[in-house]
Amino acid sequence: MTTASIMKALVYRGTGLIGIEERPRPEPGDGEVQIAVRSVSICGSDLGAYRHSTDRFRPPLVLGHELSGVVTALGPNATRFTVGQRVTVNPMLYCGECYHCRRGEVNLCGHRKSLGTAIGGVQTDGAMREYMTIRESAVMPLPDAVSFADGALLEPMAVCLACAKCGREEGEETVVVLGAGPIGLLTIKFLKSLGVPRVVAVDVMPLRLEKAVEFGASLAVNATESDPVTAVREYTDCLGADRVIVAAGVGSSFCQAFDLVRNGGAVVLVALMHETVEFDPMCIVGRGTKLYGSYMFTTEMREAADILAAGAIRVDDLVTSAFSLDEGKKAFDLLCSPGNNEIKVQLFMNA
């Protein structure tokens, strides 16, 4: 095997175990393209795998599903792209044939695999490696006006755009976002772009709350200093919020959402919450509350690319640190360290 056919990959091998390994560079198969990865964003789900090994991320596995890069080779019958073209990838590898796919609900496909996970019972290596191959139907052109770093944020942008639209009703005045991490902050940006007059951000980290205000929140509540329910009730003349978006993956946030929303309002759950939560269903029935789950996206990744290319929203202000692929473990450890102030961290390679 020649040096040119070897690449570096950041391989996850269990709780707290991740490091660089040399692997053969994958060659594109029928209908596939090879991509030289340029930028990968570390997602909260990647961190979850690093902290706690689960069947969803069965090691050994290359993590990473938020990426951008350049097409470097085409497999047989791959005709949609050209070598040298800048691209990003939709990590949802849906079947395209089931009931949900035929309805355009590709995010609900029961047969899907997902990049950088073991969803569907199949370990599908992700993008934290120098080269990857993937079916060309999952690849999307990256507009010239969008940098590689910004392109590696298009997937979470799509998640947040879909979330910002979920449960939205004409004339809503106040939306609360519980959790001002990357998903919460991006959702705030989209809520404001959709014309929501007042957005309230709730978190426990001062830096994230500062960012929330910078991104358009009209009120930021530090839950360690003030009671969010009291603050929102005062802010809405005791009515409550029209919509509450739960972007914090803790059960208490889900329960608190029902205390924050007005009668007839909507609660949207976008956080991946891996715990059992007890709550009184009369919160829904007795108050006419609508409850939505917002999972991934359908067409929003292309919408987000157009929005980004037009300069209607910027996302570079979310990235607080960038590391080389070789420094991948350092990046993961930083994000897992107590009290760290990072918001979005990216890995770069093939520069």
Side-chain angles (χ1 to χ4, degrees), residues 169 242 261-266 287-290:
E169 293 186 357
D242 298 296
V261 72
R262 65 167 171 79
N263 290 350
R287 297 176 54 208
T289 307
K290 295 172 280 291

Side-chain angles (χ1 to χ4, degrees), residues 114-248:
S114 189
L115 202 63
T117 75
I119 290 174
V122 178
Q123 287 166 286
T124 307
D125 279 340
M128 294 183 184
R129 47 181 168 158
E130 291 180 308
Y131 291 86
M132 60 178 288
T133 56
I134 194 166
R135 69 189 193 193
E136 65 173 358
S137 61
V139 182
M140 193 179 85
L142 192 64
D144 291 340
V146 178
S147 68
F148 286 117
D150 285 0
L153 290 169
L154 279 171
E155 191 272 349
M157 284 183 71
V159 170
C160 296
L161 176 55
C163 173
K165 295 189 294 186
C166 185
R168 183 184 179 214
E169 293 186 357
E170 195 70 31
E172 69 178 3
E173 296 182 357
T174 307
V175 177
V176 173
V177 178
L178 291 176
I183 294 299
L185 290 171
L186 274 172
T187 299
I188 289 170
K189 282 179 177 275
F190 281 117
L191 288 170
K192 295 307 295 183
S193 74
L194 291 171
V196 177
R198 304 194 303 180
V199 177
V200 180
V202 179
D203 204 282
V204 298
M205 296 179 65
L207 178 62
R208 291 186 172 189
L209 290 169
E210 290 173 16
K211 283 287 186 182
V213 172
E214 179 185 330
F215 295 167
S218 47
L219 177 66
V221 181
N222 189 323
T224 65
E225 300 174 356
S226 305
D227 174 34
V229 177
T230 300
V232 170
R233 291 287 172 179
E234 291 177 351
Y235 192 60
T236 60
D237 296 326
C238 295
L239 183 65
D242 298 296
R243 196 164 33 130
V244 178
I245 295 173
V246 183

Side-chain angles (χ1 to χ4, degrees), residues 15-57:
T15 305
L17 301 174
I18 197 166
I20 293 293
E21 296 181 10
E22 289 191 343
R23 288 188 169 187
R25 183 184 301 185
E27 295 298 326
D30 189 44
E32 291 185 335
V33 301
Q34 182 192 72
I35 297 172
V37 181
R38 293 291 298 272
S39 186
V40 185
S41 296
I42 300 176
C43 176
S45 63
D46 299 321
L47 291 178
Y50 188 58
R51 291 189 181 106
H52 308 287
S53 182
T54 69
D55 286 343
R56 188 181 177 92
F57 297 94

Side-chain angles (χ1 to χ4, degrees), residues 70-74 81-85:
V70 177
V71 174
T72 45
L74 305 173
F81 298 91
T82 59
V83 171
Q85 190 168 358

